[in-house]
């Protein structure tokens, strides 16, 4: 531990909360610079998901319909009224969550938009109001959610790993669908460990498949024994994780380039994220939130006598979390690649074929999502070791290339991206819009686009014409930027943030390609811009403009 920092360079830096260290020039850091905390706040996540839902409504229907308060309160009221008028039998419930809150803090349920508590706090503390999922899957009559650990190993190129096992956190009162009478019963509706631990019904268990916190694989075992299609469930969860990260990467890239500009020495970053997922009765996974700093504690507090607490080991946490940290270190280990190269050189020379892959449970046709492989004993994601781990026993390893991983269990982290990249690359439109945004940011270190940058973007991409004058371009810039800055959380810099640029880009796309669906309009405009910029780059190269 280096509480006051460290001068000598390290291979891997493991920071507790966030990373704001400008003195690291190499190695790998376990946090993305500053931004991830912002990016996964409830409002920012909801905005990013909304953009993707506008582009791809069916692909992103795993995130509940959400509205941002206070600015979208009139929209929320109006939309609910329209939906109720068109379907009088619809009796919705909504959940209000303060932005930046965690552990269930300040959360409450309402039946009608008029029940939102407007007294002071909503303006000082913005919130998200969201459709409440009324029919969750129950186990032992209790609502539960899943915490899955995801390793974002690299942003460019995108590399995502998912842990084979996660945690299931249980409510402590039997679930009933929300009524005016039970709305306030947090032990029935909220699965947060930090809340339920205070219930007298909370069960600490030494076993991973009983009690108020269990492994996700133990739930899957039960579902599988009841005949549920667990393979499809895993495939849906993998899709949810990949799509969510695709929604978050554009913003992360903007912050990344501002903290660690390309071409300058700096570390590479990776980060462990906690995905909170709810399963509906029909086994559809729903994303609740993404946690940038998930708790890695493997013990819990026990009250020995009133006011006297002791930390005791928690076998469930240990089973899941130790594997996640161990395997994250194995995956980012800078020596691993060197060893791998040395081994393959050695074995290719001896004529041994090096190979690996994922073992399938059955040859049944794959579900529409990624095809997943399951372990025979327990229906969690299983892994056939990578090349460096799968060398035949009969061949002795040369001393120099022997892997220190030889005695370790197989990896619990399964690569899902780029493995399934082909199925999801069409969703990465906002990423390409962000690349345009970053190109015109100009001065390194900023995250907002100035009016000149926006004008240059329009001019270089040849978007202005007789129907769209440069004066109209300025008005568009001012209108959108002013609105976003008036509701934004980040007032540190002036100018147009990425989300505002995305809105302006969608506007331009709609103007130019009127008759197409939104995602085709946006794709057409991206290709149009990229084409003009490529031509410009070529010209500059030929004329040596630099
Ligand atoms: P926090 O960061 O405060 O934990 P969450 O978004 O995770 O906030 O919500 C807290 C709990 O509320 C979740 O663990 C879940 O049990 C419940 N919850 C949140 N959103 C929904 C929803 N849309 N439908 C049903 N339950 C929800």
């Amino acid at each position: 531990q280096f509480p006051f920092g460290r001068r000598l360079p390290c291979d891997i830096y493991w920071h507790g909360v966030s990373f704001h260290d400008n003195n690291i020039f190499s190695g790998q850091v376990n946090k993305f610079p500053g931004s991830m905390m912002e990016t996964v706040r409830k409002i920012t996540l909801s905005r990013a998901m909304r953009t993707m839902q506008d582009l791809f409504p069916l692909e992103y229907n795993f995130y509940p319909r959400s509205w941002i308060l206070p600015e979208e309160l009139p929209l929320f009221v109006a939309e609910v009224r329209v939906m109720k008028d068109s379907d009088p039998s619809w009796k919705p419930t909504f959940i209000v969550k303060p932005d930046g809150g965690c552990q269930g803090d300040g959360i409450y349920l309402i039946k009608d938009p008029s029940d939102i508590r407007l007294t002071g706090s909503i303006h000082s503390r913005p919130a998200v109001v969201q459709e409440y999922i009324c029919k969750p899957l129950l186990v032992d009559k209790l609502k539960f959610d899943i915490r899955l650990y995801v390793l974002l190993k690299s942003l460019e190129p995108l590399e995502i790993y998912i842990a084979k096992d996660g945690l299931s956190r249980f409510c402590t009162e039997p679930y009933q669908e929300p009524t005016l009478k039970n709305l306030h019963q947090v032990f029935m509706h909220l699965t947060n460990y930090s809340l339920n631990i205070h219930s007298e019904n909370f069960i600490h268990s030494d076993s991973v498949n009983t009690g108020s916190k269990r492994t996700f694989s133990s739930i899957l075992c039960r579902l599988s024994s009841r005949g549920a299609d667990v393979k499809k469930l895993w495939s849906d969860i993998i899709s949810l994780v990949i799509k969510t990260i695709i929604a978050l990467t554009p913003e992360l890239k903007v912050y990344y380039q501002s903290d660690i500009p390309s071409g300058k020495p700096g570390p590479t970053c990776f980060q462990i994220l906690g995905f909170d997922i709810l399963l509906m009765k029909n086994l559809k996974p729903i994303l609740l939130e993404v946690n940038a700093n998930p708790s890695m504690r493997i013990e819990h507090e026990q009250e020995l006598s009133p006011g006297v607490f002791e930390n005791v080991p928690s076998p469930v946490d240990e089973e899941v979390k130790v594997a996640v940290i161990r395997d994250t270190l194995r995956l980012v280990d800078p020596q691993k690649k060197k060893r791998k190269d040395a081994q393959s050189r050695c074995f290719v020379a001896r004529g041994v074929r090096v190979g690996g892959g994922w073992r399938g449970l059955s040859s049944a046709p794959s579900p529409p999502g990624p095809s997943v492989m399951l372990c025979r004993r327990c229906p969690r994601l299983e892994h056939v070791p990578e090349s460096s781990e799968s060398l035949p026993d009969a061949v002795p390893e040369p001393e120099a290339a022997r892997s220190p991983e030889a005695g370790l269990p197989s990896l619990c982290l399964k690569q899902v991206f780029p493995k399934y990249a082909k199925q999801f690359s069409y969703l990465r439109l906002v990423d390409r819009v962000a690349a345009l945004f970053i190109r015109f940011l100009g001065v390194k270190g900023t995250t907002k686009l100035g009016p000149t940058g926006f004008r240059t973007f329009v001019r270089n991409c040849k978007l202005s014409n007789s129907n769209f004058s440069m004066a109209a371009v300025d008005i568009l810039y001012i209108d959108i930027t002013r609105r976003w800055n008036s509701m934004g959380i980040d007032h540190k810099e002036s100018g147009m943030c990425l989300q505002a640029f995305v809105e302006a880009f969608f506007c331009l796309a709609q103007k130019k390609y009127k008759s197409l669906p939104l995602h085709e309009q946006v794709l057409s405009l991206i290709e149009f811009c990229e084409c003009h910029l490529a031509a410009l780059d070529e010209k500059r190269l030929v004329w040596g403009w630099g």
Side-chain angles (χ1 to χ4, degrees), residues 305-331:
S305 53
V308 182
F309 293 91
E310 188 193 44
N311 283 331
V312 279
S314 163
V316 188
D317 288 287
E318 195 166 333
E319 161 111 8
V320 173
K321 295 174 183 173
V322 169
V324 171
I325 294 190
R326 181 193 61 219
D327 291 350
T328 298
L329 289 171
R330 283 163 83 182
L331 284 169

PDB file of all heavy atoms in Angstrom, residues 305-331:
ATOM      1  N   SER A 305     -22.322  -7.966  20.484  1.00  0.00           N
ATOM      2  CA  SER A 305     -23.211  -7.494  21.553  1.00  0.00           C
ATOM      3  C   SER A 305     -23.578  -6.069  21.152  1.00  0.00           C
ATOM      4  O   SER A 305     -22.936  -5.506  20.258  1.00  0.00           O
ATOM      5  CB  SER A 305     -22.459  -7.532  22.890  1.00  0.00           C
ATOM      6  OG  SER A 305     -21.248  -6.822  22.762  1.00  0.00           O
ATOM      7  N   PRO A 306     -24.598  -5.470  21.756  1.00  0.00           N
ATOM      8  CA  PRO A 306     -25.034  -4.153  21.289  1.00  0.00           C
ATOM      9  C   PRO A 306     -23.864  -3.183  21.114  1.00  0.00           C
ATOM     10  O   PRO A 306     -23.088  -2.935  22.036  1.00  0.00           O
ATOM     11  CB  PRO A 306     -25.990  -3.680  22.387  1.00  0.00           C
ATOM     12  CG  PRO A 306     -26.498  -4.947  22.998  1.00  0.00           C
ATOM     13  CD  PRO A 306     -25.392  -5.945  22.896  1.00  0.00           C
ATOM     14  N   GLY A 307     -23.687  -2.706  19.866  1.00  0.00           N
ATOM     15  CA  GLY A 307     -22.643  -1.720  19.567  1.00  0.00           C
ATOM     16  C   GLY A 307     -21.257  -2.310  19.341  1.00  0.00           C
ATOM     17  O   GLY A 307     -20.344  -1.599  18.955  1.00  0.00           O
ATOM     18  N   VAL A 308     -21.097  -3.634  19.545  1.00  0.00           N
ATOM     19  CA  VAL A 308     -19.769  -4.240  19.334  1.00  0.00           C
ATOM     20  C   VAL A 308     -19.818  -5.110  18.064  1.00  0.00           C
ATOM     21  O   VAL A 308     -20.578  -6.073  17.986  1.00  0.00           O
ATOM     22  CB  VAL A 308     -19.353  -5.118  20.539  1.00  0.00           C
ATOM     23  CG1 VAL A 308     -17.954  -5.699  20.317  1.00  0.00           C
ATOM     24  CG2 VAL A 308     -19.418  -4.312  21.818  1.00  0.00           C
ATOM     25  N   PHE A 309     -18.996  -4.708  17.070  1.00  0.00           N
ATOM     26  CA  PHE A 309     -19.032  -5.398  15.782  1.00  0.00           C
ATOM     27  C   PHE A 309     -17.733  -6.140  15.514  1.00  0.00           C
ATOM     28  O   PHE A 309     -16.674  -5.742  15.989  1.00  0.00           O
ATOM     29  CB  PHE A 309     -19.271  -4.384  14.653  1.00  0.00           C
ATOM     30  CG  PHE A 309     -20.632  -3.761  14.708  1.00  0.00           C
ATOM     31  CD1 PHE A 309     -20.841  -2.579  15.409  1.00  0.00           C
ATOM     32  CD2 PHE A 309     -21.708  -4.349  14.061  1.00  0.00           C
ATOM     33  CE1 PHE A 309     -22.097  -2.000  15.474  1.00  0.00           C
ATOM     34  CE2 PHE A 309     -22.969  -3.776  14.106  1.00  0.00           C
ATOM     35  CZ  PHE A 309     -23.155  -2.597  14.820  1.00  0.00           C
ATOM     36  N   GLU A 310     -17.866  -7.212  14.739  1.00  0.00           N
ATOM     37  CA  GLU A 310     -16.665  -7.949  14.345  1.00  0.00           C
ATOM     38  C   GLU A 310     -16.798  -8.310  12.868  1.00  0.00           C
ATOM     39  O   GLU A 310     -17.904  -8.574  12.396  1.00  0.00           O
ATOM     40  CB  GLU A 310     -16.586  -9.240  15.172  1.00  0.00           C
ATOM     41  CG  GLU A 310     -15.294  -9.984  14.982  1.00  0.00           C
ATOM     42  CD  GLU A 310     -15.395 -11.404  15.567  1.00  0.00           C
ATOM     43  OE1 GLU A 310     -16.426 -12.079  15.336  1.00  0.00           O
ATOM     44  OE2 GLU A 310     -14.457 -11.826  16.235  1.00  0.00           O
ATOM     45  N   ASN A 311     -15.674  -8.281  12.142  1.00  0.00           N
ATOM     46  CA  ASN A 311     -15.715  -8.691  10.743  1.00  0.00           C
ATOM     47  C   ASN A 311     -15.598 -10.205  10.665  1.00  0.00           C
ATOM     48  O   ASN A 311     -14.651 -10.778  11.190  1.00  0.00           O
ATOM     49  CB  ASN A 311     -14.550  -8.069   9.969  1.00  0.00           C
ATOM     50  CG  ASN A 311     -14.836  -6.609   9.659  1.00  0.00           C
ATOM     51  OD1 ASN A 311     -15.999  -6.212   9.523  1.00  0.00           O
ATOM     52  ND2 ASN A 311     -13.787  -5.821   9.552  1.00  0.00           N
ATOM     53  N   VAL A 312     -16.573 -10.825   9.994  1.00  0.00           N
ATOM     54  CA  VAL A 312     -16.482 -12.284   9.824  1.00  0.00           C
ATOM     55  C   VAL A 312     -16.452 -12.606   8.327  1.00  0.00           C
ATOM     56  O   VAL A 312     -17.074 -11.904   7.528  1.00  0.00           O
ATOM     57  CB  VAL A 312     -17.672 -13.032  10.482  1.00  0.00           C
ATOM     58  CG1 VAL A 312     -17.490 -13.213  11.943  1.00  0.00           C
ATOM     59  CG2 VAL A 312     -18.972 -12.352  10.183  1.00  0.00           C
ATOM     60  N   PRO A 313     -15.734 -13.679   7.967  1.00  0.00           N
ATOM     61  CA  PRO A 313     -15.643 -14.003   6.539  1.00  0.00           C
ATOM     62  C   PRO A 313     -17.013 -14.330   5.954  1.00  0.00           C
ATOM     63  O   PRO A 313     -17.874 -14.890   6.634  1.00  0.00           O
ATOM     64  CB  PRO A 313     -14.747 -15.244   6.509  1.00  0.00           C
ATOM     65  CG  PRO A 313     -14.107 -15.326   7.838  1.00  0.00           C
ATOM     66  CD  PRO A 313     -14.985 -14.611   8.802  1.00  0.00           C
ATOM     67  N   SER A 314     -17.195 -13.952   4.693  1.00  0.00           N
ATOM     68  CA  SER A 314     -18.438 -14.283   3.996  1.00  0.00           C
ATOM     69  C   SER A 314     -18.093 -15.214   2.831  1.00  0.00           C
ATOM     70  O   SER A 314     -17.550 -14.771   1.816  1.00  0.00           O
ATOM     71  CB  SER A 314     -19.090 -12.996   3.486  1.00  0.00           C
ATOM     72  OG  SER A 314     -20.043 -13.302   2.504  1.00  0.00           O
ATOM     73  N   PRO A 315     -18.376 -16.524   2.981  1.00  0.00           N
ATOM     74  CA  PRO A 315     -17.945 -17.500   1.962  1.00  0.00           C
ATOM     75  C   PRO A 315     -18.494 -17.185   0.575  1.00  0.00           C
ATOM     76  O   PRO A 315     -17.808 -17.394  -0.421  1.00  0.00           O
ATOM     77  CB  PRO A 315     -18.528 -18.830   2.474  1.00  0.00           C
ATOM     78  CG  PRO A 315     -18.842 -18.610   3.915  1.00  0.00           C
ATOM     79  CD  PRO A 315     -19.098 -17.151   4.100  1.00  0.00           C
ATOM     80  N   VAL A 316     -19.720 -16.656   0.489  1.00  0.00           N
ATOM     81  CA  VAL A 316     -20.302 -16.373  -0.833  1.00  0.00           C
ATOM     82  C   VAL A 316     -19.498 -15.282  -1.535  1.00  0.00           C
ATOM     83  O   VAL A 316     -19.128 -15.402  -2.710  1.00  0.00           O
ATOM     84  CB  VAL A 316     -21.764 -15.875  -0.693  1.00  0.00           C
ATOM     85  CG1 VAL A 316     -22.422 -15.771  -2.039  1.00  0.00           C
ATOM     86  CG2 VAL A 316     -22.537 -16.754   0.230  1.00  0.00           C
ATOM     87  N   ASP A 317     -19.220 -14.186  -0.792  1.00  0.00           N
ATOM     88  CA  ASP A 317     -18.447 -13.090  -1.389  1.00  0.00           C
ATOM     89  C   ASP A 317     -17.063 -13.574  -1.795  1.00  0.00           C
ATOM     90  O   ASP A 317     -16.550 -13.216  -2.853  1.00  0.00           O
ATOM     91  CB  ASP A 317     -18.320 -11.930  -0.388  1.00  0.00           C
ATOM     92  CG  ASP A 317     -19.636 -11.203  -0.214  1.00  0.00           C
ATOM     93  OD1 ASP A 317     -20.018 -10.475  -1.128  1.00  0.00           O
ATOM     94  OD2 ASP A 317     -20.291 -11.384   0.835  1.00  0.00           O
ATOM     95  N   GLU A 318     -16.480 -14.386  -0.928  1.00  0.00           N
ATOM     96  CA  GLU A 318     -15.126 -14.862  -1.190  1.00  0.00           C
ATOM     97  C   GLU A 318     -15.087 -15.705  -2.461  1.00  0.00           C
ATOM     98  O   GLU A 318     -14.227 -15.523  -3.323  1.00  0.00           O
ATOM     99  CB  GLU A 318     -14.647 -15.678   0.018  1.00  0.00           C
ATOM    100  CG  GLU A 318     -13.172 -15.894  -0.010  1.00  0.00           C
ATOM    101  CD  GLU A 318     -12.641 -16.393   1.339  1.00  0.00           C
ATOM    102  OE1 GLU A 318     -13.259 -16.098   2.377  1.00  0.00           O
ATOM    103  OE2 GLU A 318     -11.626 -17.078   1.314  1.00  0.00           O
ATOM    104  N   GLU A 319     -16.063 -16.608  -2.575  1.00  0.00           N
ATOM    105  CA  GLU A 319     -16.109 -17.502  -3.741  1.00  0.00           C
ATOM    106  C   GLU A 319     -16.127 -16.697  -5.052  1.00  0.00           C
ATOM    107  O   GLU A 319     -15.441 -17.009  -6.006  1.00  0.00           O
ATOM    108  CB  GLU A 319     -17.374 -18.370  -3.623  1.00  0.00           C
ATOM    109  CG  GLU A 319     -17.835 -19.014  -4.903  1.00  0.00           C
ATOM    110  CD  GLU A 319     -17.656 -20.515  -4.904  1.00  0.00           C
ATOM    111  OE1 GLU A 319     -17.310 -21.065  -3.851  1.00  0.00           O
ATOM    112  OE2 GLU A 319     -17.855 -21.119  -5.973  1.00  0.00           O
ATOM    113  N   VAL A 320     -16.928 -15.626  -5.076  1.00  0.00           N
ATOM    114  CA  VAL A 320     -17.108 -14.890  -6.321  1.00  0.00           C
ATOM    115  C   VAL A 320     -16.001 -13.843  -6.526  1.00  0.00           C
ATOM    116  O   VAL A 320     -15.403 -13.753  -7.595  1.00  0.00           O
ATOM    117  CB  VAL A 320     -18.501 -14.205  -6.319  1.00  0.00           C
ATOM    118  CG1 VAL A 320     -18.649 -13.278  -7.523  1.00  0.00           C
ATOM    119  CG2 VAL A 320     -19.599 -15.259  -6.305  1.00  0.00           C
ATOM    120  N   LYS A 321     -15.709 -13.066  -5.473  1.00  0.00           N
ATOM    121  CA  LYS A 321     -14.869 -11.879  -5.681  1.00  0.00           C
ATOM    122  C   LYS A 321     -13.383 -12.191  -5.793  1.00  0.00           C
ATOM    123  O   LYS A 321     -12.661 -11.543  -6.554  1.00  0.00           O
ATOM    124  CB  LYS A 321     -15.111 -10.875  -4.553  1.00  0.00           C
ATOM    125  CG  LYS A 321     -16.540 -10.319  -4.567  1.00  0.00           C
ATOM    126  CD  LYS A 321     -16.787  -9.437  -3.364  1.00  0.00           C
ATOM    127  CE  LYS A 321     -18.203  -8.938  -3.318  1.00  0.00           C
ATOM    128  NZ  LYS A 321     -18.500  -8.206  -2.073  1.00  0.00           N
ATOM    129  N   VAL A 322     -12.919 -13.168  -5.029  1.00  0.00           N
ATOM    130  CA  VAL A 322     -11.484 -13.497  -5.101  1.00  0.00           C
ATOM    131  C   VAL A 322     -11.129 -13.903  -6.534  1.00  0.00           C
ATOM    132  O   VAL A 322     -10.129 -13.465  -7.097  1.00  0.00           O
ATOM    133  CB  VAL A 322     -11.128 -14.606  -4.091  1.00  0.00           C
ATOM    134  CG1 VAL A 322      -9.731 -15.142  -4.352  1.00  0.00           C
ATOM    135  CG2 VAL A 322     -11.231 -14.065  -2.670  1.00  0.00           C
ATOM    136  N   ALA A 323     -12.013 -14.713  -7.131  1.00  0.00           N
ATOM    137  CA  ALA A 323     -11.755 -15.174  -8.499  1.00  0.00           C
ATOM    138  C   ALA A 323     -11.721 -13.992  -9.467  1.00  0.00           C
ATOM    139  O   ALA A 323     -10.900 -13.954 -10.390  1.00  0.00           O
ATOM    140  CB  ALA A 323     -12.827 -16.175  -8.911  1.00  0.00           C
ATOM    141  N   VAL A 324     -12.603 -13.009  -9.253  1.00  0.00           N
ATOM    142  CA  VAL A 324     -12.658 -11.862 -10.167  1.00  0.00           C
ATOM    143  C   VAL A 324     -11.351 -11.070 -10.103  1.00  0.00           C
ATOM    144  O   VAL A 324     -10.756 -10.729 -11.134  1.00  0.00           O
ATOM    145  CB  VAL A 324     -13.865 -10.942  -9.832  1.00  0.00           C
ATOM    146  CG1 VAL A 324     -13.789  -9.639 -10.623  1.00  0.00           C
ATOM    147  CG2 VAL A 324     -15.182 -11.655 -10.116  1.00  0.00           C
ATOM    148  N   ILE A 325     -10.876 -10.812  -8.897  1.00  0.00           N
ATOM    149  CA  ILE A 325      -9.639 -10.019  -8.769  1.00  0.00           C
ATOM    150  C   ILE A 325      -8.427 -10.817  -9.257  1.00  0.00           C
ATOM    151  O   ILE A 325      -7.594 -10.315 -10.010  1.00  0.00           O
ATOM    152  CB  ILE A 325      -9.449  -9.542  -7.316  1.00  0.00           C
ATOM    153  CG1 ILE A 325     -10.569  -8.559  -6.983  1.00  0.00           C
ATOM    154  CG2 ILE A 325      -8.078  -8.880  -7.135  1.00  0.00           C
ATOM    155  CD1 ILE A 325     -10.401  -7.811  -5.698  1.00  0.00           C
ATOM    156  N   ARG A 326      -8.368 -12.084  -8.848  1.00  0.00           N
ATOM    157  CA  ARG A 326      -7.229 -12.917  -9.271  1.00  0.00           C
ATOM    158  C   ARG A 326      -7.148 -12.951 -10.800  1.00  0.00           C
ATOM    159  O   ARG A 326      -6.093 -12.747 -11.394  1.00  0.00           O
ATOM    160  CB  ARG A 326      -7.418 -14.339  -8.721  1.00  0.00           C
ATOM    161  CG  ARG A 326      -6.272 -15.282  -9.076  1.00  0.00           C
ATOM    162  CD  ARG A 326      -6.651 -16.731  -8.798  1.00  0.00           C
ATOM    163  NE  ARG A 326      -7.810 -17.113  -9.602  1.00  0.00           N
ATOM    164  CZ  ARG A 326      -8.801 -17.873  -9.176  1.00  0.00           C
ATOM    165  NH1 ARG A 326      -8.799 -18.340  -7.944  1.00  0.00           N
ATOM    166  NH2 ARG A 326      -9.812 -18.170  -9.968  1.00  0.00           N
ATOM    167  N   ASP A 327      -8.301 -13.170 -11.446  1.00  0.00           N
ATOM    168  CA  ASP A 327      -8.267 -13.337 -12.900  1.00  0.00           C
ATOM    169  C   ASP A 327      -8.092 -12.015 -13.630  1.00  0.00           C
ATOM    170  O   ASP A 327      -7.533 -11.989 -14.728  1.00  0.00           O
ATOM    171  CB  ASP A 327      -9.526 -14.078 -13.364  1.00  0.00           C
ATOM    172  CG  ASP A 327      -9.476 -15.523 -12.891  1.00  0.00           C
ATOM    173  OD1 ASP A 327      -8.406 -15.932 -12.409  1.00  0.00           O
ATOM    174  OD2 ASP A 327     -10.492 -16.227 -12.992  1.00  0.00           O
ATOM    175  N   THR A 328      -8.529 -10.929 -13.010  1.00  0.00           N
ATOM    176  CA  THR A 328      -8.251  -9.625 -13.617  1.00  0.00           C
ATOM    177  C   THR A 328      -6.748  -9.419 -13.654  1.00  0.00           C
ATOM    178  O   THR A 328      -6.177  -9.031 -14.686  1.00  0.00           O
ATOM    179  CB  THR A 328      -8.922  -8.496 -12.793  1.00  0.00           C
ATOM    180  OG1 THR A 328     -10.329  -8.716 -12.823  1.00  0.00           O
ATOM    181  CG2 THR A 328      -8.615  -7.134 -13.369  1.00  0.00           C
ATOM    182  N   LEU A 329      -6.089  -9.732 -12.557  1.00  0.00           N
ATOM    183  CA  LEU A 329      -4.624  -9.584 -12.514  1.00  0.00           C
ATOM    184  C   LEU A 329      -3.954 -10.511 -13.525  1.00  0.00           C
ATOM    185  O   LEU A 329      -2.984 -10.141 -14.181  1.00  0.00           O
ATOM    186  CB  LEU A 329      -4.106  -9.853 -11.101  1.00  0.00           C
ATOM    187  CG  LEU A 329      -4.447  -8.759 -10.082  1.00  0.00           C
ATOM    188  CD1 LEU A 329      -4.088  -9.194  -8.669  1.00  0.00           C
ATOM    189  CD2 LEU A 329      -3.738  -7.456 -10.418  1.00  0.00           C
ATOM    190  N   ARG A 330      -4.510 -11.726 -13.662  1.00  0.00           N
ATOM    191  CA  ARG A 330      -3.913 -12.650 -14.640  1.00  0.00           C
ATOM    192  C   ARG A 330      -4.071 -12.098 -16.056  1.00  0.00           C
ATOM    193  O   ARG A 330      -3.169 -12.200 -16.883  1.00  0.00           O
ATOM    194  CB  ARG A 330      -4.612 -14.013 -14.577  1.00  0.00           C
ATOM    195  CG  ARG A 330      -4.173 -14.826 -13.377  1.00  0.00           C
ATOM    196  CD  ARG A 330      -5.151 -15.937 -13.106  1.00  0.00           C
ATOM    197  NE  ARG A 330      -4.925 -17.120 -13.917  1.00  0.00           N
ATOM    198  CZ  ARG A 330      -5.705 -18.198 -13.850  1.00  0.00           C
ATOM    199  NH1 ARG A 330      -6.738 -18.227 -13.037  1.00  0.00           N
ATOM    200  NH2 ARG A 330      -5.436 -19.241 -14.606  1.00  0.00           N
ATOM    201  N   LEU A 331      -5.230 -11.503 -16.339  1.00  0.00           N
ATOM    202  CA  LEU A 331      -5.472 -11.035 -17.700  1.00  0.00           C
ATOM    203  C   LEU A 331      -4.656  -9.799 -18.054  1.00  0.00           C
ATOM    204  O   LEU A 331      -4.305  -9.599 -19.204  1.00  0.00           O
ATOM    205  CB  LEU A 331      -6.968 -10.735 -17.902  1.00  0.00           C
ATOM    206  CG  LEU A 331      -7.838 -11.970 -18.075  1.00  0.00           C
ATOM    207  CD1 LEU A 331      -9.320 -11.608 -17.995  1.00  0.00           C
ATOM    208  CD2 LEU A 331      -7.555 -12.643 -19.403  1.00  0.00           C
TER     209      LEU A 331
END
